[in-house]
Amino acid sequence: MTTQSIENQLNRLRDKLRYHEHKYYVENQPEISDADFDLMLKELETLEAEAPELITPDSPTQRVGGAVGFGERVRHYSSMLSLDNTFSPEELTDFDRRVRQMLPEEAVEYVAELKIDGLGVSLVYEDGMLTRGATRGDGEYGENVTANLRTIRSIPLRVASIDSSPTLMEVRGEVFIPRDCMDGINRERVENDEAPFVNPRNAAAGSVRLLDASITASRPLDIFIYTLGYAEGIEIGTHSESLALLVEMGFKVNPSTECFPSIEEVIDYCHRQTAERENIAYDVDGIVVKVNSIAQQTELGYTAKSPRWAVSCKFPARQTTTQVLDIDVQVGRTGVLTPRAILDPVHLSGATITHATLHNEQDLHRKDVRVGDTVVLERSGDVIPKVISVVKEKRDGTEKVFHLPDHCPACDSPVQRSTEEVAVRCVNSECPMQLKRRIESFAWRSALNIEGMGPAVITQLVDTGMVTSVADLYDLQRTDLMKIERMGEKSADNLIREIEGSKSVPAARVLFGLGIMHVGQSVAELLLDRFSSIDALAAAGVEEIASIHGIGPKLAESVCHFFQQPANQQFLQRLKDAGLQWEADDSPAPDISQESFFTGKTFVLTGTLSQMARSEASKKIKECGGKTTSSVTSKTDFLVAGESPGSKYDRAVELGVDILTEEEFVAKLPVD
Ligand code: IVH
């Protein structure tokens, strides 16, 4: 056979496979069985193996492998903006009013689409071939994830040609995982000793950023394209025209998209979709409403971070009911006893809920939650589930009223009830449970930032008696840590390094880490802005402290009380002797008058930075108007990863948090 005829045969086979891939993955209307598809793919693979020089990157056999630049930071052709949120029909009407005010006398048409709760990505096609796929990142720069996006079979590696195919084109869409695939993925993760994903969004984000594209290929990822971002040489009049064009080119566009001449009909659509929400196979967190005319979009323009021609309408928080199997009691770092409902496990917004806090005895009795009750649970986004109310009609008389115990469940000492506050406390300063919580908050809560000092390690340190005070952490030796179950040499070294590193954390965060009642992160900063050091604060009287704007007498009293306790004085001396920062940071107040990349963003630092200490990086972020926290949550905007990042890195990947290398981070900092 001549090369030409082999090539023709290969092309015919590829076209057929592309056609069936499109039928199956984009249109959900397969025409042949999976087995027949696989046979055809095998045939192509065999032929290509015989003529490897004829393999093209857009061949259906080339979904895994073959992309370069994975993980690199790439600049988007135009910013990937976010949307302003609305939560009610009134707010949508306001949006409509604003739009019409800017477009007097003009008819306005809206397109309403589902807001898919996944990972926003950009796909670049050059001469019809997919050449780059990137995450949204900070909107301006994303992460090159081409190799992984190529494995998603609803993404065409080559677009179908249209009348005047653009030479350069960028499309944007949302990668997601259908809800019913979560169980399978999580079962596999648990078997591999990995934490299950809390919801489909995290699963999608984690899968797209995996280093091994063959694992990504095994995940049931899918995509809906919602924007034709840039298309050289193509003139488009409306957003709906661009969606039609995208469909023509072979992209998967959400079929629920509709066009309306008035906001009332859009609101109607929102109501219909909200009612349908549970029946949709993937997570949708609201509706996106866009002005259809591109000319009008241009006329309306943008604010600093979002377009004036589009808005999202968020769905209300999801609720469900379940049974309270029992109520147990947790002891916090200041000894407060907190009742917690143990629930019949229930699925809500992509997570299995097994516990919910009942806050305090008063709240528990106000809601009248009893053991055996059926309760309404609510969870919005990633936040902790809340017990909203009790379904009293479901009671059968066997429910048991719960009272907080008279003795601490951890150390058995009598608890203190005061008439002044709601909280019931264990006042035993040696209560092991309180100590564990104190170490936890000392190490984790935006305080001393000791990575690796997690609940399991803390439990062992306290239960074995190695640590009987937070200050003992600074006496720990490598050999002590090695006695801890599952603690290897490397982890012990890392933990010692982390403890050492915490000595450079600014004094305000040390103060916060002490766990003084009512002294949160910002109060700690306020106190140290006024007093030059922790010692100066310790020597101050109630009135002097209370004279600070923003500090009330109750808080001032709590601070004084803490420093007056002889046991605390000893403990503080030990921390100071260990070398912790004690003096207030007297660098100039942060200049946040100018908007910067950091303004309003939350960062987490992990691993060893080579150009500066973590505390210095943290200070710089603050100076630029951002903030740093110690643990990665869905609210984290960026993780700055230095050398040998630990579990925070994995958590960031899991949650889809954007990751900056040290170089990228330094490049964002203003030049001194
Ligand atoms: S339009 C400027 N349409 O929601 C236009 N976004 O806050 C912005 N999203 O990160 C995007 N479904 O990843 C648009 N049908 C849809 C969407 C959608 C999900 C995501 C997108 C973006 C975020 C906007």
Side-chain angles (χ1 to χ4, degrees):
M1 237 201 276
T2 64
T3 306
Q4 188 57 53
S5 61
I6 297 173
E7 219 167 344
N8 288 344
Q9 193 186 0
L10 286 171
N11 281 338
R12 268 199 308 276
L13 208 45
R14 285 174 190 151
D15 281 344
K16 261 165 85 177
L17 278 158
R18 272 189 208 112
Y19 172 83
H20 289 297
E21 232 176 13
H22 185 266
K23 279 280 161 199
Y24 187 98
Y25 292 102
V26 177
E27 294 185 12
N28 289 332
Q29 285 173 338
E31 287 178 357
I32 58 171
S33 68
D34 292 4
D36 283 346
F37 182 89
D38 290 344
L39 267 179
M40 216 185 280
L41 192 65
K42 251 267 96 52
E43 190 186 340
L44 178 60
E45 271 168 4
T46 313
L47 282 174
E48 285 183 342
E50 284 165 12
E53 71 284 0
L54 298 181
I55 298 177
T56 53
D58 63 339
S59 167
T61 58
Q62 302 300 302
R63 287 218 171 251
V64 180
V68 289
F70 187 81
E72 277 171 14
R73 200 168 78 121
V74 292
R75 194 183 188 125
H76 296 303
Y77 285 78
S78 59
S79 297
M80 288 183 80
L81 298 169
S82 54
L83 293 166
D84 277 342
N85 290 326
T86 62
F87 297 90
S88 64
E90 292 72 38
E91 285 178 277
L92 268 186
T93 313
D94 284 347
F95 163 72
D96 178 54
R97 197 174 308 124
R98 285 196 301 276
V99 166
R100 288 180 196 276
Q101 252 166 15
M102 288 186 69
L103 303 168
E105 316 280 308
E106 289 182 37
V108 178
E109 204 176 42
Y110 292 110
V111 175
E113 301 169 359
L114 300 185
K115 185 166 188 293
I116 318 294
D117 196 8
L119 178 77
V121 298
S122 131
L123 302 171
V124 174
Y125 288 82
E126 287 169 75
D127 294 323
M129 305 263 268
L130 173 64
T131 50
R132 193 186 87 180
T135 61
R136 175 174 179 274
D138 64 9
E140 217 173 307
Y141 290 90
E143 192 185 333
N144 182 330
V145 285
T146 316
N148 288 352
L149 293 181
R150 284 175 65 90
T151 70
I152 302 176
R153 302 229 253 179
S154 44
I155 295 182
L157 296 179
R158 195 174 78 182
V159 294
S161 51
I162 53 169
D163 269 354
S164 54
S165 296
T167 41
L168 178 65
M169 169 173 89
E170 190 204 14
V171 304
R172 291 167 182 181
E174 197 84 356
V175 173
F176 65 95
I177 285 184
R179 255 202 307 271
D180 67 358
C181 297
M182 287 300 289
D183 281 351
I185 295 176
N186 278 340
R187 208 173 312 123
E188 195 183 307
R189 278 180 75 83
V190 171
E191 276 164 18
N192 291 336
D193 261 351
E194 291 165 321
F197 289 118
V198 290
N199 56 37
R201 171 164 41 86
N202 294 352
S207 304
V208 164
R209 292 151 151 251
L210 284 166
L211 281 177
D212 183 347
S214 64
I215 304 179
T216 309
S218 74
R219 301 264 166 89
L221 291 163
D222 204 342
I223 193 167
F224 281 121
I225 302 295
Y226 53 71
T227 295
L228 177 55
Y230 176 82
E232 217 162 63
I234 290 199
E235 286 288 316
I236 300 160
T238 62
H239 176 60
S240 39
E241 269 174 40
S242 70
L243 293 180
L245 206 61
L246 285 165
V247 170
E248 211 186 317
M249 287 191 273
F251 290 103
K252 189 163 176 169
V253 172
N254 195 283
S256 305
T257 304
E258 285 185 49
C259 199
F260 301 105
S262 75
I263 203 72
E264 287 73 27
E265 281 157 278
V266 171
I267 293 171
D268 221 44
Y269 173 89
C270 291
H271 287 313
R272 268 186 283 134
Q273 294 299 343
T274 310
E276 271 303 301
R277 181 184 188 191
E278 301 304 327
N279 301 329
I280 304 174
Y282 36 86
D283 273 358
V284 172
D285 58 348
I287 305 294
V288 183
V289 184
K290 301 173 182 172
V291 169
N292 198 15
S293 150
I294 305 291
Q296 289 180 338
Q297 287 185 4
T298 313
E299 178 71 28
L300 289 161
Y302 298 82
T303 66
K305 62 179 188 53
S306 48
R308 287 202 193 86
W309 46 264
V311 77
S312 87
C313 177
K314 290 284 217 175
F315 283 153
R318 273 212 183 88
Q319 291 191 341
T320 189
T321 58
T322 190
Q323 210 186 10
V324 177
L325 301 178
D326 204 352
I327 295 178
D328 71 358
V329 176
Q330 300 211 294
V331 185
R333 71 188 164 139
T334 55
V336 175
L337 268 53
T338 308
R340 184 178 68 154
I342 300 175
L343 304 167
D344 190 7
V346 62
H347 213 67
L348 181 59
S349 300
T352 305
I353 316 290
T354 52
H355 297 90
T357 175
L358 296 166
H359 304 291
N360 53 51
E361 200 164 39
Q362 203 179 48
D363 200 44
L364 175 133
H365 289 144
R366 188 176 52 78
K367 288 183 189 145
D368 191 15
V369 182
R370 303 178 188 180
V371 175
D373 264 340
T374 300
V375 289
V376 178
L377 274 187
E378 184 182 287
R379 185 167 181 266
S380 51
D382 275 339
V383 299
I384 303 157
K386 280 194 287 237
V387 172
I388 300 291
S389 59
V390 172
V391 188
K392 295 211 169 130
E393 305 78 66
K394 291 229 168 163
R395 281 189 177 158
D396 62 8
T398 57
E399 295 74 20
K400 289 196 182 63
V401 176
F402 179 84
H403 291 284
L404 281 179
D406 291 329
H407 287 79
C408 170
C411 68
D412 209 33
S413 53
V415 299
Q416 196 178 69
R417 289 169 198 268
S418 98
T419 45
E420 278 164 37
E421 59 167 10
V422 180
V424 173
R425 286 175 195 279
C426 163
V427 286
N428 169 16
S429 60
E430 287 176 9
C431 170
M433 191 65 88
Q434 283 181 52
L435 177 60
K436 286 175 194 170
R437 293 283 114 79
R438 277 203 296 274
I439 302 175
E440 242 169 52
S441 49
F442 184 80
W444 278 96
R445 307 183 74 209
S446 322
L448 279 290
N449 203 9
I450 307 177
E451 194 169 333
M453 187 62 76
V457 171
I458 295 172
T459 299
Q460 291 199 51
L461 288 175
V462 174
D463 289 351
T464 54
M466 270 190 266
V467 169
T468 57
S469 152
V470 171
D472 290 347
L473 295 179
Y474 293 94
D475 294 336
L476 285 172
Q477 304 294 319
R478 183 171 183 266
T479 43
D480 296 328
L481 292 178
M482 302 265 304
K483 290 183 200 140
I484 291 179
E485 259 171 52
R486 297 211 279 179
M487 173 83 69
E489 275 177 42
K490 199 164 158 239
S491 324
D493 285 341
N494 283 344
L495 193 48
I496 292 284
R497 208 184 49 221
E498 284 287 326
I499 295 173
E500 266 311 296
S502 74
K503 292 179 183 171
S504 57
V505 162
R509 285 176 47 195
V510 175
L511 178 63
F512 169 55
L514 297 177
I516 305 172
M517 213 188 303
H518 307 306
V519 178
Q521 212 176 339
S522 55
V523 168
E525 277 171 22
L526 215 56
L527 289 170
L528 276 197
D529 275 349
R530 166 70 173 268
F531 296 95
S532 55
S533 69
I534 295 181
D535 284 341
L537 174 66
V542 174
E543 272 175 30
E544 200 183 348
I545 299 175
S547 70
I548 303 176
H549 182 69
I551 306 266
K554 201 167 153 200
L555 206 157
E557 243 167 63
S558 160
V559 173
C560 277
H561 177 77
F562 178 87
F563 286 110
Q564 275 159 12
Q565 304 304 306
N568 287 341
Q569 288 167 4
Q570 264 180 15
F571 158 65
L572 289 166
Q573 191 58 48
R574 285 186 63 200
L575 289 184
K576 194 176 167 188
D577 292 346
L580 265 61
Q581 297 297 313
W582 227 243
E583 304 296 317
D585 193 351
D586 54 7
S587 57
D591 175 14
I592 50 174
S593 56
Q594 262 177 319
E595 286 263 323
S596 79
F597 166 76
F598 296 90
T599 311
K601 303 225 173 84
T602 304
F603 293 76
V604 172
L605 304 167
T606 186
T608 315
L609 301 179
S610 61
Q611 302 184 37
M612 64 185 89
R614 290 227 296 254
S615 52
E616 195 186 333
S618 171
K619 199 169 116 196
K620 285 190 190 288
I621 290 172
K622 199 173 148 203
E623 281 167 6
C624 298
K627 67 168 183 176
T628 49
T629 59
S630 58
S631 48
V632 178
T633 70
S634 61
K635 298 215 166 61
T636 310
D637 292 301
F638 292 97
L639 178 85
V640 179
E643 186 118 359
S644 333
S647 58
K648 287 181 197 173
Y649 186 92
D650 300 336
R651 183 83 184 128
V653 169
E654 211 171 274
L655 291 178
V657 168
D658 285 300
I659 297 170
L660 296 176
T661 61
E662 181 176 0
E663 289 70 39
E664 286 167 344
F665 166 67
V666 172
K668 294 265 182 205
L669 289 171
V671 186
D672 285 329

